[in-house]
Amino acid sequence: MQYILLHIAEGCDPVNKLYYCDLSKIPNGLEGFRNGNSLLPFVKLIDNFDAQYEAIANDDTVFTFLTNKDAPKYKLVRVDLKEPTVWADVLQESEKDVLESACAVNGNQLIVSYLSDVKYLLQVRDLKTGSLLHQLPIDIGSVSEVSGRREDSVVFIGFTSFLTPGIIYQCNLGTEIPDMKIFREIVVPGFDRSEFHVKQVRKKYFLMILFYLIFRFTIKLAVLKSCYFE
């Protein structure tokens, strides 16, 4: 471990300050501070509460962050600590999808999770360029967690949906095409999810259904009131 990152939050807003400490520049590393009263020499990289910064990966002094700086739907940016004022986009903000998470795995790859029209999308992208490598097959539902380290070629993905309370997928990125299979699944006795299918309804059809349900509820309420007063 070479760097310690310090995140300073303020309230519940998605903003934080970000300081770092380079342990390689400290004689004897952390051992010299274990029994003393000295403070670690943190350097202020971000010293205001204007956006959120979450560290995704680093190669020496070059860090990649997930941020909402000038990007409400989030993006990935990169900065070299040697040039802290120069920031570059790695993965630009999507026009309609929210970048929920990014996890550096398999050397120089990323698994990114997007929230798109209330369902999740999983992609494998290149860490250095942000370019799309693969779309991971996943049903309509929510990705709860992507678990893996930078050196891992096998990662685990938590998933829930209307048809399952929980599935953990195992994804092998060491093959030419990522191999996804069920590693663990919460099984509900007497329920076979393969007999059901989840389909996403377009917005206009959803609004029509919602209007119809509200209309029926209003009619029933009017009838009940009429019977009550009679």
Side-chain angles (χ1 to χ4, degrees), residues 174-185:
T175 56
E176 184 176 353
I177 298 177
D179 178 35
M180 279 189 66
K181 61 182 180 182
I182 294 177
F183 179 72
R184 292 284 189 273
E185 179 179 5

Side-chain angles (χ1 to χ4, degrees), residues 181-198:
K181 61 182 180 182
I182 294 177
F183 179 72
R184 292 284 189 273
E185 179 179 5
I186 299 175
V187 178
V188 179
F191 177 75
D192 184 1
R193 66 181 180 87
S194 64
E195 296 180 356
F196 298 86
H197 298 279
V198 177

Side-chain angles (χ1 to χ4, degrees), residues 8-29:
I8 304 172
E10 182 181 54
C12 298
D13 293 332
V15 296
N16 65 273
K17 294 182 180 182
L18 184 65
Y19 303 165
Y20 70 90
C21 176
D22 187 351
L23 297 179
S24 67
K25 296 183 179 180
I26 302 175
N28 301 321

Side-chain angles (χ1 to χ4, degrees), residues 133-152:
L133 301 177
H134 303 283
Q135 291 276 5
L136 295 179
I138 195 168
D139 294 331
I140 295 175
S142 301
V143 174
S144 56
E145 184 180 5
V146 177
S147 178
R149 298 170 298 180
R150 180 82 179 266
E151 62 268 25
D152 293 337

Side-chain angles (χ1 to χ4, degrees), residues 77-215:
V77 295
R78 184 164 294 147
V79 64
D80 191 333
L81 299 182
K82 296 177 181 178
E83 300 180 88
T85 61
V86 181
W87 294 73
D89 287 353
V90 179
L91 181 56
Q92 295 184 349
E93 179 187 24
S94 171
E95 292 184 1
K96 64 173 185 176
D97 301 333
V98 179
L99 181 57
E100 289 281 303
S101 67
C103 182
V105 294
N106 197 30
N108 287 316
Q109 291 184 347
L110 290 167
I111 291 186
V112 299
S113 172
Y114 280 102
L115 180 59
S116 175
D117 295 330
V118 300
K119 70 178 187 298
Y120 279 73
L121 301 176
L122 280 178
Q123 298 176 345
V124 180
R125 289 183 173 268
D126 185 89
L127 173 61
K128 293 183 177 180
T129 65
S131 59
L132 178 64
L133 301 177
H134 303 283
Q135 291 276 5
L136 295 179
I138 195 168
D139 294 331
I140 295 175
S142 301
V143 174
S144 56
E145 184 180 5
V146 177
S147 178
R149 298 170 298 180
R150 180 82 179 266
E151 62 268 25
D152 293 337
S153 60
V154 176
V155 299
F156 297 90
I157 300 165
F159 176 80
T160 60
S161 75
F162 293 106
L163 299 181
T164 175
I167 292 177
I168 298 177
Y169 288 103
Q170 177 180 299
C171 181
N172 184 2
L173 298 171
T175 56
E176 184 176 353
I177 298 177
D179 178 35
M180 279 189 66
K181 61 182 180 182
I182 294 177
F183 179 72
R184 292 284 189 273
E185 179 179 5
I186 299 175
V187 178
V188 179
F191 177 75
D192 184 1
R193 66 181 180 87
S194 64
E195 296 180 356
F196 298 86
H197 298 279
V198 177
K199 291 186 178 181
Q200 189 170 25
V201 184
R202 289 187 178 182
K203 184 178 180 180
K204 64 177 182 179
Y205 297 124
F206 171 78
L207 292 176
M208 290 172 60
I209 295 171
L210 181 61
F211 176 80
Y212 172 72
L213 292 175
I214 293 175
F215 175 76

